[in-house]
């Protein structure tokens, strides 16, 4: 479970009664797509002919550009998660990261799911005994790519939800 029991108004758009601007929602989606794309090769090396995770990432970016409807991006995210079902380890987590990225168009708080699953993918792909270090490096890599406009929002979210995200944001 990566979503909190009670939705944080910081991740609900203004038109829905929260405080999140459309511009920041778009930045969250782009950052989530970047996190997921970074680990996508871990999925594609296991399933090179399955386009669903890559498509979810593309749909997330298309939503930001106004080329894709929210429902299409969300559906692509669901299909990417379906690609993970019969997999284990790094490939599974990478597909989930892509799925979460696609879902950001629908619920902005999925941004942290994309990042968390990407960290889990890197941990799982690391040689024995190096998973924690690899995860911390991935976490730092992700943070280095946070746009300044959403940096504090995401870092606060990581602090608040770290415990329900497998403590992957201890970096």
């Amino acid at each position: 479970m990566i979503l909190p029991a009670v939705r944080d108004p910081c991740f609900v758009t203004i038109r829905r009664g929260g405080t999140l601007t459309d511009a920041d929602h778009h930045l969250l989606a782009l950052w989530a797509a970047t996190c997921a794309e970074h680990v996508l090769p871990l999925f594609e090396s296991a399933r090179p002919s399955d386009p669903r995770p890559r498509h979810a990432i593309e749909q997330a970016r298309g939503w930001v550009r106004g080329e894709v409807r929210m429902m299409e991006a969300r559906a692509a995210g669901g299909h990417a998660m379906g690609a993970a079902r019969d997999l284990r380890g790094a490939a599974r987590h990478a597909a989930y990261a892509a799925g979460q990225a696609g879902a950001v168009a629908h619920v902005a708080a999925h941004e942290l799911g994309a990042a968390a699953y990407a960290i889990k993918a890197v941990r799982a792909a690391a040689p024995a005994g190096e998973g924690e270090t690899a995860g911390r490096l991935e976490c730092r890599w992700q943070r280095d790519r946070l746009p300044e406009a959403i940096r504090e929002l995401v870092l606060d979210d990581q602090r608040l939800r770290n415990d329900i995200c497998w403590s992957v944001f201890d970096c």
Side-chain angles (χ1 to χ4, degrees):
M1 175 65 168
I2 55 137
L3 293 176
V6 177
R7 289 183 70 190
D8 184 339
C10 292
F11 289 91
V12 177
T13 57
I14 292 169
R15 71 182 162 285
R16 301 249 187 245
T19 60
L20 183 67
T21 65
D22 286 342
D24 286 352
H25 192 177
H26 290 161
L27 289 173
L28 289 168
L30 291 173
W31 179 71
T34 296
C35 292
E37 187 173 54
H38 192 236
V39 298
L40 187 60
L42 297 171
F43 172 82
E44 291 180 333
S45 66
R47 296 281 167 81
S49 63
D50 190 338
R52 293 177 289 178
R54 180 169 295 280
H55 183 67
I57 293 166
E58 291 167 356
Q59 292 292 88
R61 289 189 173 123
W63 173 76
V64 170
R65 292 188 304 267
E67 300 165 1
V68 172
R69 293 185 356 237
M70 178 274 293
M71 293 297 286
E72 294 170 303
R74 183 180 86 169
H79 294 305
M81 287 187 247
R85 281 196 189 101
D86 65 339
L87 295 171
R88 296 288 173 259
R92 180 183 181 107
H93 299 313
Y96 279 140
Q100 293 290 314
V104 172
H106 181 246
V107 174
H110 281 289
E111 108 290 352
L112 216 55
Y117 277 113
I119 293 169
K120 284 184 68 138
V122 167
R123 283 180 172 180
E130 297 179 29
E132 290 299 316
T133 300
R136 280 192 295 281
L137 290 172
E138 180 67 15
C139 180
R140 289 183 198 129
W141 182 92
Q142 292 173 357
R143 287 179 179 180
D144 287 346
R145 278 137 189 91
L146 271 168
E148 194 58 40
I150 60 167
R151 183 174 185 74
E152 286 308 311
L153 176 65
V154 172
L155 293 178
D156 283 344
D157 196 26
Q158 288 181 347
R159 283 187 286 274
L160 291 172
R161 290 199 283 157
N162 191 38
D163 59 331
I164 63 171
C165 290
W166 314 286
S167 299
V168 298
F169 299 115
D170 293 333
C171 63

